[in-house]
Structures are given as structure tokens and as C-alpha cells.
């Protein structure tokens, strides 16, 4: 999700003012950036486990 509205994509707080060129901020700080990364990793792991379970069920003829 690309969020350039001026609010942190994790907690919703307003973002600090930009101090030069570059990519727009998505998170208000390191804590929110890290929390978002952990959530993305958890989603990837869960999706991988679901795909693996479905594959095993299909191989067993239960799918």
C-alpha cells in the first residue's frame, strides 16, 4: 500500500517534514518501519504455510 498522504502507514501519526529530495516517507520512524516489516514477513510465512498445506492435501487426494 502506497501512502503519501502525510500519515504514517503503520500508526497513522503525521509524518515529519521532508528535508530534501528523495523518496517520500511512509513511516514516522524506525519503530513503525520495523513493525511493518515484521507484519509483512508474518504474512509471507503464513501464505507459504497455507500453500504448502494445500499442496500436501492435493497430493494426498484430499483437495
Amino acid at each position: 500500500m502506497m501512502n503519501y498522504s502525510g500519515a504514517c502507514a503503520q500508526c497513522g501519526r503525521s509524518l515529519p517534514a521532508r528535508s530534501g529530495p528523495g523518496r517520500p516517507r511512509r513511516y514516522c520512524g524506525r519503530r513503525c518501519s520495523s513493525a511493518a516489516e515484521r507484519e509483512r514477513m508474518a504474512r509471507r510465512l503464513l501464505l507459504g504455510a497455507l500453500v504448502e498445506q494445500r499442496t500436501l492435501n492435493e497430493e494426498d487426494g484430499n483437495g
Side-chain angles (χ1 to χ4, degrees):
M1 174 178 87
M2 300 308 270
N3 178 11
Y4 299 122
S5 66
C8 175
Q10 183 67 22
C11 70
R13 285 184 273 191
S14 62
L15 295 174
R18 289 185 60 178
S19 61
R23 192 176 292 182
R25 287 178 165 259
R26 293 182 64 191
Y27 305 105
C28 60
R30 177 72 73 189
R31 177 179 282 172
C32 283
S33 177
S34 296
E37 177 61 28
R38 285 190 301 274
E39 286 180 10
R40 286 191 300 273
M41 182 61 71
R43 268 194 304 265
R44 285 186 207 121
L45 291 172
L46 178 59
L47 180 60
L50 291 173
V51 168
E52 183 176 345
Q53 184 63 44
R54 183 174 182 182
T55 303
L56 291 174
N57 285 343
E58 288 174 355
E59 289 174 357
D60 291 341
N62 298 330

